[in-house]
Amino acid sequence: MHIDDVKNICVVGSGSMGHQIAMLCALGGYNTTVQDIDEESLQRAKSTLEKLMDRWVSKGKLSAEAKGKAFNRLTFTTRLEEAASDADFVIEAVVEKLEVKREVFARLDEIAPRHAILATNSSTIVNSLIADTTQRPEKVCNMHFFYPALVMDCVEVVMSEQTSEETAQVALDLCKKINRTGILLRKEISGFVANRILGALTAEAVKLYEQGIADFKDIDTVCRKALNHPMGPFQIMDLSGIDVGYYVQQQRYAETGDPADKPPACVEEKVKAGHLGRKTGKGWYDYTDEREKERV
């Protein structure tokens, strides 16, 4: 398979990552179908993308014509059969839970054409834990985008021992087509590169907070002012979704059994309270005023 053989792309999941990945693909010239089991989530994704692209047009980042063409290439559906039956490349972006991803890939293997590549956007679950649900492990890889996908210019393409060179190359070429920098990882490791580094920083920041060394706001300030980071670790958690990191740590703990990999108590409290960050209006910080302004 060659990148020129990719005409139709299916994105499974319309959440914070999925809908933006889909728009990248549509902007890159691909007929793209977004599938989600929740019709309300699909409508919310479409509305969010329309607002984002209107903003790009108003700022001169995108022409009105290009926006119109991209939306003409974009389809939303609740039916996986409709989304994947003619797909040449599938990108899964559902919840970060292994059992859910395995179910999705098993169904995709039945529905998608035999030549189709199946990629997971998982930020930590290696594709070999999913590929055995399919009859095409050589065509399975990780294609990890960063949030927000329409802004962040990096994609980690990860091979397992069974992923073919052809599959990896097509994934890397697709990154170029959608104007993203693809980085190839030839060996699997939980968390890949970026999240392992970020995870180490975040774990230390949470430890300092739980030990009462400093308030979370002050820790963020130190990271911004002293380390010149654009955002502090607690701000990043709020941006990406506290639940996302929580599920990642749960999965890693299930794999290793190491107490050090278990989600911290303060993070678990946030998740149980439904305070997941920007998307819920409250996390480590309170975004109620911002959400109210967006509604006006």
Side-chain angles (χ1 to χ4, degrees):
M1 188 176 180
H2 188 270
I3 186 61
D4 292 339
D5 298 320
V6 179
K7 308 294 182 184
N8 302 312
I9 294 178
C10 164
V11 177
V12 184
S14 64
S16 56
M17 290 299 295
H19 72 283
Q20 293 206 11
I21 294 170
M23 179 52 75
L24 278 176
C25 295
L27 288 168
Y30 292 100
N31 295 319
T32 307
T33 302
V34 188
Q35 186 273 337
D36 199 296
I37 58 174
D38 184 1
E39 178 64 39
E40 186 177 331
S41 179
L42 287 171
Q43 293 303 319
R44 187 163 54 249
K46 186 176 182 181
S47 175
T48 299
L49 287 174
E50 286 172 347
K51 291 177 182 176
L52 279 172
M53 293 304 102
D54 283 343
R55 202 174 303 157
W56 279 23
V57 171
S58 67
K59 291 182 177 180
K61 294 175 62 176
L62 186 72
S63 70
E65 181 182 8
K67 174 203 163 188
K69 287 182 177 179
F71 273 101
N72 285 339
R73 300 186 194 104
L74 203 53
T75 304
F76 299 83
T77 181
T78 56
R79 299 184 63 248
L80 190 60
E81 292 81 1
E82 179 183 342
S85 61
D86 64 349
D88 304 303
F89 202 107
V90 180
I91 303 172
E92 167 272 313
V94 302
V95 66
E96 197 75 350
K97 293 185 177 182
L98 179 59
E99 64 272 17
V100 176
K101 292 182 184 294
R102 286 177 61 84
E103 289 175 9
V104 169
F105 269 71
R107 288 198 64 203
L108 285 171
D109 190 51
E110 296 174 356
I111 299 168
R114 300 316 302 170
H115 69 272
I117 289 172
L118 308 181
T120 173
N121 178 56
S122 176
S123 59
T124 186
I125 299 173
V126 294
N127 71 80
S128 61
L129 295 177
I130 304 171
D132 65 335
T133 66
T134 77
Q135 299 298 312
R136 62 183 97 186
E138 76 284 355
K139 291 185 175 293
V140 178
C141 67
N142 286 81
M143 198 172 180
H144 175 221
F145 292 76
F146 293 84
Y147 183 82
L150 283 165
V151 176
M152 300 297 285
D153 177 24
C154 189
V155 180
E156 292 174 318
V157 175
V158 187
M159 301 175 68
S160 72
E161 291 184 357
Q162 292 181 290
T163 306
S164 70
E165 293 287 340
E166 179 182 280
T167 293
Q169 190 58 56
V170 172
L172 289 169
D173 289 341
L174 178 59
C175 291
K176 292 180 183 178
K177 291 283 188 179
I178 62 176
N179 198 31
R180 286 296 173 268
T181 300
I183 304 297
L184 180 63
L185 280 65
R186 290 189 169 275
K187 290 185 178 181
E188 293 185 317
I189 185 169
S190 179
F192 314 140
V193 173
N195 278 349
R196 289 186 74 86
I197 295 172
L198 177 61
L201 175 70
T202 302
E204 188 61 29
V206 170
K207 188 184 299 181
L208 291 170
Y209 168 72
E210 289 193 326
Q211 290 176 348
I213 304 299
D215 183 71
F216 70 88
K217 292 181 181 178
D218 292 329
I219 295 171
D220 276 352
T221 299
V222 169
C223 289
R224 293 197 309 271
K225 300 291 186 179
L227 304 180
N228 203 29
H229 293 181
M231 300 178 72
F234 295 92
Q235 290 175 304
I236 292 174
M237 280 189 271
D238 275 1
L239 178 65
S240 60
I242 295 173
D243 57 326
V244 174
Y246 176 74
Y247 291 139
V248 166
Q249 289 175 299
Q250 277 193 321
Q251 175 61 37
R252 189 171 297 171
Y253 177 60
E255 292 176 17
T256 67
D258 185 347
D261 291 329
K262 197 173 183 179
C266 62
V267 171
E268 188 168 39
E269 287 174 8
K270 297 285 185 188
V271 173
K272 288 183 176 179
H275 299 158
L276 309 181
R278 287 181 174 272
K279 62 185 176 184
T280 60
K282 189 174 183 181
W284 291 102
Y285 295 85
D286 193 321
Y287 306 93
T288 306
D289 290 343
E290 292 182 21
R291 288 168 67 87
E292 288 301 324
K293 288 179 183 177
E294 290 178 358
R295 293 192 183 101
V296 176

